[in-house]
Amino acid sequence: MSERRLLILYGSQTGYAKDTAYRIARQAWRRHFSVSVQSMDQVDKWSIFTTTYPVIFVCSTTGQGEEPDNMKKFWRFILRKTIPYDALSGLKYAVFGLGDSSYQKFNFPAKRLSRRLQQLGGTPIVDRGDGDDQHYLGLDGALDPWLENLWAVLLDRYPLPKPIVPESVAPDPSCDIDYIDEHIDTSVGKTELIPGTHLAQLVKSDRMTAPDHFQDVHLFEFELDDSTQIPQWSPGDCAVLRPENLDSDVNDFLQQMHWTEHADKLLQIKPRDESIIPKWIPRCTTLRWLFTNYFDIM
């Protein structure tokens, strides 16, 4: 029997493609595949030429039909003219794109990626999937049937060694959390900035549309913490903002979960896979910080 392994690579700007990649990974785990999930720019690009197991690509669309930031290096790499036309003749792959059909360049990154992989000799396992925000079920409208088809093909090639793990069984945790000595020198609240990230304060928010207009369009004005590092932006660029939950909402949530007494204790996050936890989340923090700055509790 062939090795039951899958590699899932994602290109994600705001997190949706990454979430989709891990959703696919959980379904693969339930079907007893060994799975690795990485962003396209994380993976050893040369390994794509020698991979003997299927690779699933998940990518979103940003700006005016552009590829996400953590896919750009990989994309430039496979566009090299020096790569032989049959370099990926041993690659079995699947591509799923996330986009919005109301835009002219709907799912362009996924379409271009799929076409380029085929140009280099790759063999698609299933037809490309095109997730569409405009579907009445959202992205799931295309993702669910695409996954059903994907698993049917893969399980025909890699038969189940035992029954599928039921949804009631939770996968292994992606990280370990330990409470630590409060006297240890820590970096609580300090985050590692991702390249291209800028710290700023919101100083103005003016509504630009009439009060009775159905669209609530605002003009936001930010003040950079470091005025010497002015971003070089172009028309169509996306600004990813990270808001905070209200203190009152966080307090209510912690109280509801009976976690109030532990909310401000220092804890250390030990990811089993470094790609799981975003770089800007400090490895030493508190429950209160996490539920204020990271988790969606509404």
Side-chain angles (χ1 to χ4, degrees):
M1 184 185 297
S2 301
E3 189 177 16
R4 305 187 87 260
R5 294 184 61 186
L6 293 177
L7 173 61
I8 303 176
L9 300 178
Y10 64 85
S12 184
Q13 191 69 29
T14 60
Y16 288 112
K18 181 177 180 180
D19 288 346
T20 301
Y22 277 101
R23 174 179 170 183
I24 297 172
R26 288 191 294 273
Q27 291 193 11
W29 172 81
R30 296 187 187 284
R31 289 160 177 79
H32 308 288
F33 284 96
S34 174
V35 192
S36 175
V37 182
Q38 300 179 62
S39 73
M40 293 189 209
D41 283 355
Q42 276 182 309
V43 73
D44 176 6
K45 300 168 186 61
W46 294 101
S47 67
I48 296 296
F49 299 119
T50 57
T51 297
T52 58
Y53 42 87
V55 180
I56 300 172
F57 295 88
V58 182
C59 59
S60 59
T61 310
T62 187
Q64 298 300 315
E66 298 175 11
E67 66 278 355
D69 288 342
N70 59 4
M71 175 183 169
K72 289 183 182 297
K73 292 179 182 178
F74 178 86
W75 179 240
R76 288 196 296 268
F77 174 78
I78 64 170
L79 281 180
R80 291 182 179 182
K81 295 181 179 179
T82 55
I83 298 177
Y85 71 92
D86 60 348
L88 296 180
S89 58
L91 178 68
K92 304 295 188 293
Y93 72 91
V95 176
F96 187 84
L98 288 75
D100 187 326
S101 60
S102 66
Y103 288 84
Q104 185 177 8
K105 296 183 178 181
F106 170 55
N107 267 341
F108 261 40
K111 293 174 181 177
R112 289 196 297 253
L113 175 62
S114 182
R115 185 164 56 246
R116 182 57 176 164
L117 294 174
Q118 279 193 283
Q119 288 174 349
L120 296 176
T123 304
I125 302 169
V126 293
D127 291 339
R128 185 192 70 246
D130 288 323
D132 184 5
D133 269 338
Q134 294 301 313
H135 193 284
Y136 73 95
L137 292 176
L139 295 173
D140 289 345
L143 180 60
D144 288 344
W146 185 82
L147 283 174
E148 185 175 343
N149 189 26
L150 175 69
W151 296 128
V153 173
L154 287 176
L155 293 182
D156 182 61
R157 186 173 301 172
Y158 305 94
L160 284 169
K162 45 191 172 182
I164 294 175
V165 178
E167 292 287 339
S168 58
V169 178
D172 293 334
S174 58
C175 61
D176 298 304
I177 295 178
D178 297 321
Y179 286 105
I180 60 177
D181 191 331
E182 294 185 11
H183 300 293
I184 296 178
D185 183 23
T186 64
S187 57
V188 177
K190 296 180 181 179
T191 62
E192 179 183 345
L193 289 182
I194 301 171
T197 299
H198 302 273
L199 296 177
Q201 297 288 329
L202 176 65
V203 295
K204 185 183 293 186
S205 174
D206 294 334
R207 178 166 179 144
M208 305 302 292
T209 48
D212 58 348
H213 193 269
F214 74 98
Q215 287 181 314
D216 184 4
V217 179
H218 278 247
L219 172 64
F220 296 113
E221 185 175 318
F222 295 91
E223 185 176 288
L224 292 172
D225 286 8
D226 184 356
S227 58
T228 64
Q229 299 293 323
I230 300 177
Q232 298 300 311
W233 283 322
S234 302
D237 284 352
C238 289
V240 180
L241 307 180
R242 296 198 178 99
E244 297 180 359
N245 288 312
L246 295 174
D247 289 343
S248 57
D249 292 335
V250 173
N251 289 333
D252 289 343
F253 176 81
L254 292 170
Q255 186 174 2
Q256 183 69 27
M257 299 300 296
H258 305 290
W259 291 344
T260 303
E261 63 178 300
H262 304 291
D264 299 302
K265 293 180 180 179
L266 295 180
L267 55 84
Q268 188 171 22
I269 303 174
K270 299 177 181 178
R272 299 185 181 184
D273 177 353
E274 282 295 333
S275 67
I276 295 283
I277 310 296
K279 291 183 178 180
W280 59 271
I281 293 183
R283 295 301 185 262
C284 180
T285 184
T286 65
L287 284 176
R288 187 180 303 279
W289 189 94
L290 288 171
F291 284 106
T292 299
N293 297 278
Y294 183 57
F295 293 117
D296 183 1
I297 60 176
M298 299 304 293

